[in-house]
Amino acid sequence: MSTSGRGLHGRVLETLGPAITAGDYPPGSVLRTDELAQRFDVSRSVMREAVRVLESMHLVESRRRVGVTVLPKAEWNVYDPQVIRWRLAGADRPHQLRSLTVLRSAIEPVAAGLAAKHATAEQCAELTECALGMVANSKGHRLEGYLFHDIAFHRVILNASGNEMFARLGDVVAEVLTGRTRHEVMFEDPDPAAVTLHVRLAEAIRAGDAGHAEELTREIAEGALQELDILAP
C-alpha cells in the first residue's frame, strides 16, 4: 500500500480505535463499512484495511451479512502497544495505568534477578549508561530526556533476563512509562529515591546479585504504585 494509503487508514484508526476502547461503541455494536467509509471520506478499500488492523487487535470481528461487530474487552489484545496507547488516552487511564503497573511489579523483579545472572558485559554497561542518563535528566523538568533513558533501562533488563517472553514485554513497559509522562501522571521531576534505586539496580545486576536486584526492582514498582495513588487515584 502507498504511503498515502497508510496515512488514510491511519487517520481512520486514530479516531475509531480510541472510540472503541473508550466504550463509545459498546460490545455488540455493529459498524457498517460503507457508512464508516462515507463518514471518514475514504474509499471502502481504505476502510477495510483499517478494519483488518482492528481485527488483528481483536477489538472487532468482521462477519459477512452482519458487518463489523465490536468485541467485549475480554477479547481485546490488551498487550498490543497501540491498544494500550488508546486506552491511556481515554477515561480508562487510571485503571489501565494501575493494571499495567501491577503487571510490571509481578514481572520485572523476576526479570531483574535473571538479568543479574545472565546479563552480558555490554548489557551491564548499557544499564549503567541508561541509569546515568536518568540521573542527568532528573532535575529541571526534563521528563522527555528522562523517559528516553528510563525506557531503554527497562528494555535492557527484560532482554538481559534471557527469557524471550519477558523480552517481548518491552513495548508494553515502554507504553506505560510513556503514558505516565505524556498524560502528566508524574511529578515535575522524578522522585530522587526512584532515580537512586535505578542506579543501585544497575550496580546489583553488574555485581551478579540476583536477590538484591529483585528487591530493588520491587521497591521501584512499589514507588510507581504509590505515585498512582497520589496522581491517578
Side-chain angles (χ1 to χ4, degrees):
M1 181 180 286
S2 67
T3 302
S4 61
R6 287 197 297 269
L8 286 171
H9 92 254
R11 177 169 60 81
V12 173
L13 286 171
E14 286 305 318
T15 300
L16 203 50
I20 292 171
T21 57
D24 295 348
Y25 297 100
S29 300
V30 176
L31 311 177
R32 303 293 179 187
T33 305
D34 288 353
E35 291 174 8
L36 289 171
Q38 197 169 30
R39 173 186 160 193
F40 288 104
D41 192 25
V42 296
S43 68
R44 278 182 289 180
S45 63
V46 167
M47 197 62 235
R48 283 195 296 269
E49 179 61 27
V51 167
R52 276 196 289 269
V53 175
L54 294 173
E55 282 185 296
S56 74
M57 300 172 177
H58 298 175
L59 296 181
V60 302
E61 180 181 56
S62 184
R63 295 165 67 183
R64 293 184 66 182
R65 299 191 182 88
V66 175
V68 179
T69 305
V70 176
L71 294 173
K73 189 183 295 186
E75 301 287 331
W76 297 354
N77 181 3
V78 293
Y79 289 104
D80 187 294
Q82 184 65 75
V83 173
I84 292 171
R85 199 172 308 142
W86 287 337
R87 294 179 73 190
L88 287 176
D92 196 33
R93 184 183 307 139
H95 176 265
Q96 174 76 151
L97 278 171
R98 191 166 299 279
S99 178
L100 289 166
T101 304
V102 169
L103 174 69
R104 290 182 60 201
S105 71
I107 296 297
E108 290 195 86
V110 178
L114 289 171
K117 297 176 181 178
H118 302 299
T120 65
E122 291 78 10
Q123 287 170 327
C124 289
E126 193 175 350
L127 266 183
T128 299
E129 183 180 344
C130 292
L132 293 176
M134 292 171 72
V135 171
N137 287 274
S138 62
K139 292 186 182 298
H141 305 176
R142 300 167 66 180
L143 287 180
E144 286 295 330
Y146 183 87
L147 173 64
F148 174 82
H149 294 287
D150 196 12
I151 289 173
F153 184 93
H154 290 280
R155 279 194 189 278
V156 174
I157 288 177
L158 291 168
N159 288 329
S161 72
N163 183 300
E164 73 279 7
M165 304 296 285
F166 287 172
R168 287 298 298 273
L169 290 173
D171 287 344
V172 172
V173 173
E175 287 300 333
V176 68
L177 292 174
T178 301
R180 286 195 319 166
T181 301
R182 300 279 160 78
H183 297 293
E184 300 180 350
V185 191
M186 278 189 72
F187 298 111
E188 289 185 339
D189 283 331
D191 177 12
V195 179
T196 300
L197 284 172
H198 282 78
V199 174
R200 291 172 59 197
L201 176 55
E203 292 171 349
I205 290 174
R206 188 182 63 198
D209 191 338
H212 194 39
E214 282 196 39
E215 180 185 333
L216 290 167
T217 310
R218 200 162 282 112
E219 283 188 56
I220 291 171
E222 287 171 0
L225 282 169
Q226 288 168 7
E227 279 190 6
L228 289 182
D229 289 339
I230 297 169
L231 297 170

